[in-house]
């Protein structure tokens, strides 16, 4: 186990403007260091007062990323997992709210022994203790910490102060700061401008922090001259001014940083001597497939209610990029506003024009539900590949209940408490839950797959583990009827109680899951369900799937039967 002293810290801060991609930078650097043989962990510090982002609207915060241990976290943790293929956990996402909560809890327990509890030292000490915790408990060489927000924000000051103090305590070879800034290109002058970066570094200096490395985002490549200028005014070596110009896909960022030798500069400064040459062949091929797929483009419709804000579906969109690469197609995503389909005059068939597959997205609340149900119905009746995730699965069962099982107005009790046919209902253990934060069915749960099902075909095994985030589930009172009418319950909890996957037999690809497979797709390990769905959509686009209603299901080998117990 690594002692805290042995762990090297890298803090990533951002300046000038937000949305420069600190998360992608952190994940990319982590990947490069990992491929040089180092053990890397990444975490995110968020300056807001929410204890976690679980209670925030996707409009405010984008997707909530759920870890195996059931933490509701920032979407940047998704980038970390997708790039590094290392699981994150609750310990990897600290919010200022969580820091304050533990300080206030300690105060209530009398742990400050009559003292006045203040930001300095108590809040700062709490942050430093938490910084130490992850380093103490993990077995890794490098801990990358991304600090949310932009330098100059009042709210992130305690994190910066804690970082400053930690550097003093650990020594400069054990902690470095990478500051990500923006170098705008001014068309009228045909010039890249370094002044905003200079100002941002000045502001960082006001907090007592001299950045060790500057990564400069820009529309155009940074010339040696510009790098020298930035280095000169910001007091860093020009080799430590790293250019990061816009690229076609975020997955090219590690390759660009490798070229700029960011990893080597970091290792030199942290005294990390032993390393191997990174092997980025797989990554390069992946980027090539993303940029120039051999088999053209297909379009998948994503039906949801946050359509104008794609960050709400971040992991789903990234999973389609992974699955596109593995199927040699570009997956273009068309957002379908569920509410639009609630208007009886809405022409659903024209909404499906050019679409080779429909995904109904996760979500909460009744807005757009009837529209989603209509979209599912169209995909089912017209044999268009369909994939439902969480709320998407619940909508698929509502649709099946109403249109196949003759249960008029069947619904989820989330949308109609007095539904005559509550095919989706609150889980038993949720009935007494009053608090909203962190109380859903969260995190990784095992699921057993049915032999010969589509799910079993794509996963190629019987026991899977997937991550959840929901309060409602399929109501078992309706299981028998649904089965009689042709729905297959192809995945359940190991004791059979909870329905986790449903699918339809007489359809080219109709699979809906109660969990969130998008949280487990990786560049190097595309998720089997996304892979299978994109494969089906590609065949649909090529006209191969439309008529093949009866699908051959695989038979199991004897070892598989044994493993299934
Ligand atoms: N609102 C539904 C539930 O709580 C679905 C949640 C989701 O899609 N993540 O069960």
């Amino acid at each position: 186990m690594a002692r805290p002293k042995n762990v090297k810290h890298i803090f990533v801060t951002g300046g000038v403007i937000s949305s420069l991609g600190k998360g992608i930078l952190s994940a990319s650097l982590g990947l490069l260091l990992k491929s040089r043989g180092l053990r890397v962990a990444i975490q995110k510090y968020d300056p807001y007062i929410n204890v976690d982002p679980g209670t925030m609207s996707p409009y405010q915060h984008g997707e909530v990323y759920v870890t195996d241990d059931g933490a509701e976290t920032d979407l940047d943790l998704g980038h970390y997992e997708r790039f590094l293929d290392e699981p994150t956990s609750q310990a990897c996402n600290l919010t200022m709210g969580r820091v304050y909560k533990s300080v206030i809890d300690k105060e209530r327990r009398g742990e400050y022994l009559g003292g006045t509890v203040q930001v300095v030292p108590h809040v700062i000490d709490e942050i430093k203790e938490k910084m130490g915790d992850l380093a103490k408990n993990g077995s890794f060489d490098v801990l990358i910490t991304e600090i949310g927000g932009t330098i100059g924000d009042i709210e992130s000051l305690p994190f910066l102060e804690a970082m400053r103090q930690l550097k003093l305590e650990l020594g400069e070879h054990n902690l470095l700061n990478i500051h990500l800034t923006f170098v705008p290109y001014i068309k009228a002058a045909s010039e890249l401008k370094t002044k905003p970066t200079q100002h941002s570094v000045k502001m960082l200096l006001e907090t007592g922090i001299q950045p060790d490395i500057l990564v400069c985002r820009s529309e155009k490549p940074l010339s040696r001259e510009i790098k020298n200028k930035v280095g000169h005014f910001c007091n860093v070596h020009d080799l430590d001014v790293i250019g990061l110009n816009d690229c076609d896909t975020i997955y090219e960022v590690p390759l660009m940083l490798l070229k700029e030798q960011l990893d080597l500069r970091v290792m030199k400064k942290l005294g990390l001597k032993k390393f191997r040459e990174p092997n980025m062949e797989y990554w390069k091929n992946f980027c090539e497939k993303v940029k120039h797929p051999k088999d053209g483009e297909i379009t998948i419709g994503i039906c949801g209610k946050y359509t104008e804000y794609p960050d709400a579906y971040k992991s789903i969109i990234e999973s389609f990029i992974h699955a596109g690469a593995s199927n040699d197609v570009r997956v273009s995503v068309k957002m379908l506003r569920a509410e639009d389909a609630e208007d009886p005059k809405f022409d659903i068939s024209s909404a499906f024009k050019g679409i080779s597959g429909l995904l109904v997205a996760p979500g909460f609340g009744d807005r757009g539900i009837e529209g989603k149900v209509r979209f599912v119905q169209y995909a089912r009746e017209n044999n268009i590949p369909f994939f439902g995730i969480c709320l998407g699965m619940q909508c698929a069962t509502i649709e099946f209940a109403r249109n196949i099982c003759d249960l008029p107005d069947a619904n989820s009790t989330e949308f109609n408490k007095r539904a005559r046919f509550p095919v989706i209902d609150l889980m038993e253990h949720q009935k007494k839950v009053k608090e909203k934060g962190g109380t859903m069915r969260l995190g990784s749960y095992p699921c057993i797959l049915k032999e010969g099902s589509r799910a079993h075909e794509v996963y190629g095994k019987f026991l899977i583990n997937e991550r959840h985030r929901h309060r409602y589930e399929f109501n078992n009172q309706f299981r028998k009827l649904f089965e009689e009418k042709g729905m297959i319950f192809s995945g359940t909890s190991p004791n059979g109680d909870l329905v986790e996957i449903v699918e339809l037999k007489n359809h080219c690809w109709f699979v809906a899951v109660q969990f969130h497979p998008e949280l487990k797709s990786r560049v190097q390990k595309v998720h089997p369900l996304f892979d299978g769905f994109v494969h089906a959509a590609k065949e649909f686009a090529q006209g191969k799937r439309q008529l093949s209603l009866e699908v051959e299901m695989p038979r199991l080998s004897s070892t598989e039967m044994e493993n299934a117990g």
Side-chain angles (χ1 to χ4, degrees):
M1 176 127 21
R3 286 179 298 129
K5 256 214 242 133
N6 294 342
V7 175
K8 306 284 185 179
H9 290 263
I10 301 170
F11 283 85
V12 177
T13 53
V16 186
I17 51 171
S18 59
S19 303
L20 286 177
K22 289 190 298 288
I24 304 293
L25 168 62
S26 307
S28 303
L29 176 60
L31 172 71
L32 293 180
L33 296 177
K34 183 179 173 180
S35 50
R36 284 194 180 270
L38 290 161
R39 297 165 307 165
V40 183
I42 317 191
Q43 60 176 343
K44 170 100 192 258
Y45 284 180
D46 279 308
Y48 47 75
I49 306 292
N50 301 61
V51 170
D52 63 43
T55 50
M56 286 187 199
S57 151
Y59 284 119
Q60 300 256 329
H61 189 270
E63 168 190 274
V64 173
Y65 189 79
V66 180
T67 56
D68 277 336
D69 64 348
E72 296 178 287
T73 71
D74 186 79
L75 56 72
D76 275 322
L77 272 74
H79 292 308
Y80 307 162
E81 290 207 12
R82 284 187 283 275
F83 278 59
L84 259 85
D85 191 21
E86 298 282 350
T88 56
S89 67
Q90 178 64 76
C92 303
N93 193 193
L94 181 66
T95 67
M96 200 61 85
R98 197 171 285 275
V99 173
Y100 273 102
K101 189 171 184 303
S102 49
V103 169
I104 291 168
D105 287 348
K106 280 185 187 167
E107 186 274 334
R108 291 290 84 183
R109 287 197 300 269
E111 288 182 27
Y112 294 110
L113 301 172
T116 308
V117 183
Q118 293 174 298
V119 173
V120 182
H122 303 100
V123 169
I124 307 293
D125 285 350
E126 188 68 31
I127 298 171
K128 281 199 299 181
E129 200 181 307
K130 297 226 170 347
M131 283 173 173
D133 278 354
L134 191 62
K136 235 184 318 205
N137 300 330
S139 37
F140 42 82
D141 308 303
V142 181
L143 174 59
I144 302 175
T145 305
E146 177 194 346
I147 298 185
T150 309
I151 295 304
D153 298 346
I154 294 171
E155 53 182 16
S156 48
L157 284 175
F159 285 139
L160 298 176
E161 173 60 10
M163 170 177 106
R164 187 193 67 78
Q165 291 186 15
L166 200 68
K167 182 161 187 168
L168 204 63
E169 286 163 26
L170 297 179
E172 60 180 28
H173 292 301
N174 291 316
L175 188 151
L176 64 80
N177 167 241
I178 300 180
H179 189 49
L180 174 64
T181 73
F182 181 51
V183 178
Y185 177 73
I186 305 298
K187 258 201 202 128
S190 308
E191 255 184 76
L192 286 167
K193 292 293 185 188
T194 64
K195 197 70 85 189
T197 296
Q198 296 176 40
H199 283 302
S200 177
V201 170
K202 276 217 177 81
M203 232 182 265
L204 199 53
L205 282 167
E206 276 171 24
T207 66
I209 295 160
Q210 163 67 51
D212 299 282
I213 295 179
L214 292 172
V215 177
C216 301
R217 267 296 293 276
S218 63
E219 242 178 275
K220 307 226 179 238
L222 257 60
S223 62
R224 180 56 43 209
E225 221 186 326
I226 294 278
K227 286 184 178 178
N228 286 344
K229 187 173 172 187
V230 171
H232 183 71
F233 285 112
C234 298
N235 206 20
V236 297
H237 197 291
D238 56 355
L239 291 178
D240 294 323
V241 180
I242 306 289
L244 180 58
N245 51 293
D246 295 355
C247 35
D248 296 334
T249 151
I250 55 167
Y251 297 105
E252 275 185 310
V253 172
L255 303 175
M256 206 175 277
L257 295 175
L258 181 68
K259 235 201 224 143
E260 291 277 309
Q261 304 198 330
L262 173 64
D263 51 335
L264 290 179
R265 296 306 295 169
V266 163
M267 293 174 84
K268 183 165 187 285
K269 283 177 185 296
L270 291 176
L272 291 162
K273 289 206 178 63
K274 279 186 217 141
F275 56 85
R276 57 172 188 241
E277 278 311 304
N279 182 356
M280 298 295 286
E281 267 327 286
Y282 182 92
W283 208 268
K284 278 185 196 148
N285 290 337
F286 172 80
C287 286
E288 192 46 35
K289 283 194 172 174
V290 171
K291 284 166 64 177
H292 309 291
K294 277 205 212 74
D295 296 337
E297 180 169 307
I298 60 164
T299 303
I300 300 282
I302 297 185
C303 174
K305 64 176 181 178
Y306 309 108
T307 44
E308 60 299 8
Y309 193 49
D311 262 9
Y313 305 117
K314 191 86 204 156
S315 292
I316 292 178
I317 292 169
E318 297 305 322
S319 302
F320 276 130
I321 296 177
H322 307 161
S326 74
N327 283 281
D328 246 317
V329 287
R330 173 170 301 119
V331 178
S332 137
V333 163
K334 181 177 172 194
M335 292 291 179
L336 304 166
R337 251 169 66 93
E339 279 160 292
D340 291 348
E342 294 190 339
D343 180 348
K345 288 198 281 296
F346 180 76
D347 179 4
I348 194 140
S349 65
S350 64
F352 269 91
K353 268 213 183 87
I355 281 182
S356 308
L358 172 72
L359 181 140
V360 176
F364 295 84
D366 63 355
R367 183 160 66 86
I369 290 301
E370 293 306 316
K372 289 181 186 178
V373 169
R374 228 181 129 192
F375 270 107
V376 178
Q377 181 179 4
Y378 191 90
R380 181 180 57 74
E381 289 176 348
N382 292 280
N383 204 28
I384 297 166
F386 168 78
F387 189 12
I389 297 186
C390 208
L391 181 64
M393 174 235 175
Q394 298 176 354
C395 289
T397 55
I398 293 169
E399 192 279 322
F400 191 80
R402 290 182 188 172
N403 299 323
I404 302 290
C405 303
D406 295 322
L407 303 175
D409 302 324
N411 216 332
S412 161
T413 50
E414 182 179 1
F415 317 126
N416 178 3
K417 289 232 166 349
R418 273 179 275 282
R420 186 145 65 104
F421 301 111
V423 289
I424 302 291
D425 200 6
L426 206 54
M427 278 182 276
E428 214 32 61
H429 73 270
Q430 286 288 331
K431 290 190 175 151
K432 289 194 198 80
V433 172
K434 292 262 173 332
E435 288 209 2
K436 288 276 181 267
T439 54
M440 283 187 244
R441 182 184 183 214
L442 289 167
S444 181
Y445 286 90
C447 167
I448 302 282
L449 303 181
K450 193 176 249 165
E451 182 190 354
S453 64
R454 180 71 74 196
H456 179 252
E457 175 197 33
V458 297
Y459 279 97
K461 56 184 177 183
F462 283 109
L463 179 64
I464 58 165
N465 286 283
E466 292 285 1
R467 298 181 192 173
H468 292 251
R469 182 174 187 248
H470 58 107
R471 292 187 201 280
Y472 293 80
E473 61 164 336
F474 183 81
N475 183 345
N476 284 334
Q477 281 174 18
F478 296 91
R479 212 137 133 184
K480 198 161 163 285
L481 172 67
F482 273 51
E483 253 164 351
E484 283 164 12
K485 297 284 183 183
M487 184 164 268
I488 303 166
F489 295 96
S490 56
T492 61
S493 55
N495 65 5
D497 277 356
L498 301 175
V499 170
E500 311 284 36
I501 312 180
V502 301
E503 44 188 273
L504 293 181
K505 232 188 266 166
N506 292 327
H507 192 282
C508 71
W509 212 93
F510 191 106
V511 180
V513 297
Q514 186 57 80
F515 47 81
H516 290 266
E518 74 277 20
L519 303 176
K520 287 183 74 172
S521 190
R522 310 277 176 263
V523 168
Q524 322 226 19
K525 266 185 224 151
V526 54
H527 194 285
L529 284 170
F530 278 89
D531 198 20
F533 176 56
V534 168
H535 179 72
K538 179 179 167 182
E539 291 201 339
F540 180 89
Q542 294 167 339
K544 289 186 194 157
R545 280 253 172 178
Q546 269 134 318
L547 300 171
S548 60
L549 289 178
E550 281 296 341
V551 181
E552 277 293 307
M553 292 298 184
R555 303 302 321 156
L556 289 182
S557 69
S558 51
T559 22
E560 278 181 313
M561 292 290 273
E562 262 165 43
N563 291 345

